Tab-separated table of all heavy atoms in Angstrom:
chain	number	residue	atom	x	y	z
A	43	PRO	N	203.482	321.852	24.011
A	43	PRO	CA	202.211	322.568	24.101
A	43	PRO	C	201.076	321.738	23.554
A	43	PRO	O	201.242	321.007	22.547
A	43	PRO	CB	202.457	323.817	23.185
A	43	PRO	CG	203.904	323.887	22.984
A	43	PRO	CD	204.425	322.506	23.104
A	44	VAL	N	199.932	321.860	24.167
A	44	VAL	CA	198.739	321.129	23.759
A	44	VAL	C	197.726	322.148	23.220
A	44	VAL	O	197.401	323.131	23.932
A	44	VAL	CB	198.136	320.338	24.868
A	44	VAL	CG1	196.833	319.715	24.477
A	44	VAL	CG2	199.075	319.253	25.341
A	45	LEU	N	197.206	321.952	22.014
A	45	LEU	CA	196.300	322.902	21.473
A	45	LEU	C	194.969	322.940	22.208
A	45	LEU	O	194.360	321.903	22.481
A	45	LEU	CB	196.029	322.524	19.977
A	45	LEU	CG	195.050	323.404	19.207
A	45	LEU	CD1	195.661	324.769	18.994
A	45	LEU	CD2	194.685	322.773	17.859
A	46	LEU	N	194.529	324.127	22.545
A	46	LEU	CA	193.180	324.310	23.177
A	46	LEU	C	192.180	324.677	22.144
A	46	LEU	O	191.075	324.115	22.079
A	46	LEU	CB	193.262	325.403	24.228
A	46	LEU	CG	194.155	325.173	25.438
A	46	LEU	CD1	194.256	326.403	26.297
A	46	LEU	CD2	193.645	323.965	26.233
A	47	VAL	N	192.481	325.666	21.311
A	47	VAL	CA	191.491	326.132	20.331
A	47	VAL	C	192.229	326.865	19.206
A	47	VAL	O	193.319	327.350	19.335
A	47	VAL	CB	190.504	327.052	20.998
A	47	VAL	CG1	191.093	328.443	21.208
A	47	VAL	CG2	189.188	327.169	20.266
A	48	THR	N	191.551	326.910	18.054
A	48	THR	CA	191.975	327.751	16.915
A	48	THR	C	190.827	328.697	16.591
A	48	THR	O	189.668	328.237	16.483
A	48	THR	CB	192.282	326.897	15.693
A	48	THR	OG1	193.343	326.013	16.006
A	48	THR	CG2	192.697	327.804	14.501
A	49	VAL	N	191.095	329.976	16.496
A	49	VAL	CA	190.114	330.916	16.048
A	49	VAL	C	190.525	331.488	14.688
A	49	VAL	O	191.690	331.758	14.437
A	49	VAL	CB	189.887	332.067	17.071
A	49	VAL	CG1	189.079	331.528	18.241
A	49	VAL	CG2	191.193	332.687	17.564
A	50	VAL	N	189.531	331.634	13.836
A	50	VAL	CA	189.831	331.955	12.402
A	50	VAL	C	189.098	333.227	11.937
A	50	VAL	O	189.664	334.031	11.225
A	50	VAL	CB	189.484	330.772	11.516
A	50	VAL	CG1	189.719	331.098	10.049
A	50	VAL	CG2	190.252	329.533	11.925
A	51	THR	N	187.869	333.354	12.406
A	51	THR	CA	187.046	334.442	11.934
A	51	THR	C	187.016	335.618	12.845
A	51	THR	O	186.922	335.433	14.093
A	51	THR	CB	185.593	333.945	11.773
A	51	THR	OG1	185.563	332.746	11.000
A	51	THR	CG2	184.696	334.970	11.103
A	52	GLY	N	187.152	336.821	12.291
A	52	GLY	CA	187.094	338.050	13.157
A	52	GLY	C	185.837	338.103	13.949
A	52	GLY	O	184.760	337.881	13.413
A	53	GLY	N	185.937	338.374	15.249
A	53	GLY	CA	184.785	338.437	16.108
A	53	GLY	C	184.340	337.085	16.695
A	53	GLY	O	183.387	337.012	17.485
A	54	GLU	N	185.041	336.043	16.279
A	54	GLU	CA	184.670	334.701	16.695
A	54	GLU	C	184.800	334.496	18.198
A	54	GLU	O	185.762	334.986	18.785
A	54	GLU	CB	185.512	333.695	15.952
A	54	GLU	CG	185.163	332.237	16.165
A	54	GLU	CD	186.003	331.301	15.296
A	54	GLU	OE1	186.900	331.800	14.580
A	54	GLU	OE2	185.721	330.093	15.280
A	55	VAL	N	183.893	333.756	18.778
A	55	VAL	CA	183.942	333.408	20.202
A	55	VAL	C	183.799	331.887	20.295
A	55	VAL	O	182.866	331.328	19.701
A	55	VAL	CB	182.861	334.051	21.035
A	55	VAL	CG1	182.907	333.603	22.509
A	55	VAL	CG2	182.962	335.576	20.966
A	56	LYS	N	184.703	331.260	20.958
A	56	LYS	CA	184.632	329.794	21.154
A	56	LYS	C	184.681	329.532	22.637
A	56	LYS	O	185.450	330.139	23.379
A	56	LYS	CB	185.772	329.105	20.429
A	56	LYS	CG	185.542	328.948	18.928
A	56	LYS	CD	186.556	328.006	18.312
A	56	LYS	CE	186.251	327.757	16.871
A	56	LYS	NZ	187.219	326.842	16.231
A	57	LYS	N	183.907	328.509	23.049
A	57	LYS	CA	183.886	328.112	24.479
A	57	LYS	C	184.364	326.661	24.575
A	57	LYS	O	183.980	325.798	23.819
A	57	LYS	CB	182.494	328.234	25.059
A	57	LYS	CG	182.078	329.696	25.108
A	57	LYS	CD	180.900	329.883	26.122
A	57	LYS	CE	180.521	331.382	26.174
A	57	LYS	NZ	179.996	331.772	27.429
A	58	LEU	N	185.180	326.474	25.599
A	58	LEU	CA	185.643	325.116	25.945
A	58	LEU	C	185.497	324.978	27.460
A	58	LEU	O	186.364	325.359	28.225
A	58	LEU	CB	187.105	324.989	25.556
A	58	LEU	CG	187.789	323.653	25.631
A	58	LEU	CD1	187.171	322.696	24.637
A	58	LEU	CD2	189.275	323.770	25.336
A	59	LYS	N	184.326	324.470	27.839
A	59	LYS	CA	183.974	324.321	29.255
A	59	LYS	C	184.065	325.708	29.931
A	59	LYS	O	183.316	326.600	29.601
A	59	LYS	CB	184.840	323.304	29.955
A	59	LYS	CG	184.649	321.887	29.432
A	59	LYS	CD	185.486	320.860	30.185
A	59	LYS	CE	185.262	319.504	29.591
A	59	LYS	NZ	186.136	318.447	30.234
A	60	ARG	N	185.005	325.916	30.858
A	60	ARG	CA	185.099	327.176	31.587
A	60	ARG	C	185.976	328.201	30.857
A	60	ARG	O	186.204	329.276	31.355
A	60	ARG	CB	185.632	326.926	32.985
A	60	ARG	CG	184.693	326.137	33.905
A	60	ARG	CD	185.367	325.819	35.222
A	60	ARG	NE	186.505	324.864	35.050
A	60	ARG	CZ	187.744	325.263	35.021
A	60	ARG	NH1	188.070	326.545	35.251
A	60	ARG	NH2	188.707	324.389	34.868
A	61	LEU	N	186.468	327.826	29.677
A	61	LEU	CA	187.382	328.699	28.921
A	61	LEU	C	186.639	329.331	27.782
A	61	LEU	O	185.931	328.611	27.038
A	61	LEU	CB	188.565	327.906	28.407
A	61	LEU	CG	189.752	327.621	29.336
A	61	LEU	CD1	189.373	326.845	30.578
A	61	LEU	CD2	190.865	326.927	28.569
A	62	THR	N	186.778	330.677	27.654
A	62	THR	CA	186.144	331.400	26.541
A	62	THR	C	187.247	332.095	25.755
A	62	THR	O	188.039	332.861	26.310
A	62	THR	CB	185.107	332.398	27.011
A	62	THR	OG1	184.079	331.719	27.819
A	62	THR	CG2	184.435	333.083	25.880
A	63	PHE	N	187.265	331.856	24.475
A	63	PHE	CA	188.289	332.463	23.562
A	63	PHE	C	187.599	333.380	22.613
A	63	PHE	O	186.522	333.127	22.095
A	63	PHE	CB	188.961	331.344	22.737
A	63	PHE	CG	189.599	330.282	23.574
A	63	PHE	CD1	188.829	329.223	24.006
A	63	PHE	CD2	190.948	330.351	23.981
A	63	PHE	CE1	189.386	328.189	24.765
A	63	PHE	CE2	191.495	329.312	24.720
A	63	PHE	CZ	190.700	328.239	25.158
A	64	GLN	N	188.250	334.529	22.435
A	64	GLN	CA	187.643	335.537	21.504
A	64	GLN	C	188.717	335.981	20.530
A	64	GLN	O	189.896	336.148	20.916
A	64	GLN	CB	187.193	336.732	22.367
A	64	GLN	CG	186.098	337.522	21.758
A	64	GLN	CD	185.363	338.351	22.801
A	64	GLN	OE1	185.773	338.436	23.972
A	64	GLN	NE2	184.242	338.923	22.432
A	65	PHE	N	188.340	336.167	19.303
A	65	PHE	CA	189.249	336.718	18.278
A	65	PHE	C	188.711	338.085	17.900
A	65	PHE	O	187.522	338.257	17.671
A	65	PHE	CB	189.207	335.797	17.030
A	65	PHE	CG	190.398	335.904	16.107
A	65	PHE	CD1	191.566	336.540	16.523
A	65	PHE	CD2	190.357	335.310	14.850
A	65	PHE	CE1	192.637	336.622	15.635
A	65	PHE	CE2	191.410	335.387	14.001
A	65	PHE	CZ	192.601	336.002	14.376
A	66	GLY	N	189.586	339.107	17.900
A	66	GLY	CA	189.162	340.438	17.602
A	66	GLY	C	188.559	340.607	16.211
A	66	GLY	O	188.898	339.812	15.331
A	67	ASP	N	187.700	341.612	16.084
A	67	ASP	CA	187.067	341.808	14.772
A	67	ASP	C	188.042	341.991	13.629
A	67	ASP	O	187.833	341.519	12.507
A	67	ASP	CB	186.180	343.078	14.846
A	67	ASP	CG	184.940	342.843	15.738
A	67	ASP	OD1	184.606	341.684	15.984
A	67	ASP	OD2	184.411	343.877	16.206
A	68	ALA	N	189.182	342.650	13.911
A	68	ALA	CA	190.163	342.890	12.942
A	68	ALA	C	191.206	341.803	12.841
A	68	ALA	O	192.167	341.887	12.039
A	68	ALA	CB	190.880	344.231	13.188
A	69	ARG	N	191.032	340.759	13.573
A	69	ARG	CA	191.963	339.587	13.624
A	69	ARG	C	193.378	339.979	14.009
A	69	ARG	O	194.343	339.442	13.481
A	69	ARG	CB	191.928	338.831	12.321
A	69	ARG	CG	190.600	338.090	12.072
A	69	ARG	CD	190.610	337.239	10.829
A	69	ARG	NE	190.589	338.057	9.645
A	69	ARG	CZ	191.407	337.898	8.593
A	69	ARG	NH1	192.336	337.022	8.580
A	69	ARG	NH2	191.254	338.706	7.549
A	70	LYS	N	193.486	340.970	14.932
A	70	LYS	CA	194.778	341.370	15.377
A	70	LYS	C	194.989	341.051	16.847
A	70	LYS	O	196.080	341.187	17.349
A	70	LYS	CB	194.946	342.906	15.217
A	70	LYS	CG	194.966	343.384	13.781
A	70	LYS	CD	195.186	344.871	13.768
A	70	LYS	CE	195.198	345.404	12.332
A	70	LYS	NZ	195.393	346.885	12.322
A	71	ASP	N	193.914	340.624	17.536
A	71	ASP	CA	194.079	340.381	18.961
A	71	ASP	C	193.111	339.303	19.409
A	71	ASP	O	192.144	338.953	18.702
A	71	ASP	CB	193.746	341.672	19.758
A	71	ASP	CG	192.417	342.251	19.395
A	71	ASP	OD1	191.416	341.863	19.963
A	71	ASP	OD2	192.384	343.153	18.498
A	72	SER	N	193.404	338.741	20.553
A	72	SER	CA	192.607	337.616	21.058
A	72	SER	C	192.633	337.643	22.588
A	72	SER	O	193.576	338.201	23.171
A	72	SER	CB	193.093	336.310	20.501
A	72	SER	OG	192.326	335.228	20.944
A	73	SER	N	191.695	337.010	23.180
A	73	SER	CA	191.692	336.878	24.634
A	73	SER	C	191.228	335.497	25.045
A	73	SER	O	190.494	334.797	24.340
A	73	SER	CB	190.780	337.955	25.275
A	73	SER	OG	189.445	337.729	24.890
Side-chain angles (χ1 to χ4, degrees):
Chain A
V44 174
L45 180 69
L46 296 174
V47 79
T48 300
V49 285
V50 177
T51 307
E54 185 175 5
V55 176
K56 282 191 174 179
K57 293 198 177 209
L58 188 65
K59 296 183 182 177
R60 293 174 295 101
L61 278 60
T62 302
F63 305 86
Q64 206 158 11
F65 201 14
D67 291 340
R69 290 186 287 131
K70 293 181 180 180
D71 54 86
S72 182
S73 64

